[in-house]
Amino acid sequence: MNALSADDFASQRTDSRDSLMLAAQFRVAGRPDEQVRVRNLSSGGLMAEYAQPIDRGSHVEVEVRGVGWVSGRIAWATDGRVGIAFDSSIDPMLARKPVGKGTHTPSFVKPILTRR
């Protein structure tokens, strides 16, 4: 494993990163799929919590909510975190869209407002 600091790659970033906490499925060839926590996301990549050793340059896939499976390569790995550079750009705002498909909010989840 090549342990490199996330700061080593900060100057190479061209896209703004959106901080968030999002669960995602993570796939590495030859290993079972695992769930990871995505900590930030941009159109060109993401940072996730992943404690297993992994080599820089390894091909991976991540299923990002609202986007689907995205392939990429490990850009860096250190201290239980990995940086992934996507093979193709995504729209990171799709991960922020609500998950529900309903056209309205059911009355049982609406707040009860009282007049004073």
Side-chain angles (χ1 to χ4, degrees), residues 66-113:
V67 177
W69 284 98
V70 182
S71 63
R73 303 247 175 229
I74 298 295
W76 56 267
T78 185
D79 299 328
R81 296 175 297 156
V82 294
I84 299 170
F86 297 146
D87 292 337
S88 309
S89 293
I90 65 161
D91 180 356
M93 294 311 292
L94 292 174
R96 291 264 188 203
K97 288 191 176 180
V99 178
K101 296 182 180 174
T103 57
H104 69 283
T105 302
S107 61
F108 62 86
V109 294
K110 291 182 181 177
I112 298 172
L113 302 176

Side-chain angles (χ1 to χ4, degrees), residues 16-18 20 38-43 45-46 64 86 90 92 95:
S16 64
R17 300 248 162 178
D18 188 17
L20 50 81
V38 175
R39 303 291 257 164
N40 65 45
L41 180 66
S42 75
S43 61
L46 61 78
V64 179
F86 297 146
I90 65 161

Side-chain angles (χ1 to χ4, degrees), residues 20-24 36-41 46-49 62:
L20 50 81
M21 179 68 85
L22 181 68
V36 296
R37 285 189 194 130
V38 175
R39 303 291 257 164
N40 65 45
L41 180 66
L46 61 78
M47 192 245 318
E49 295 175 0
V62 181

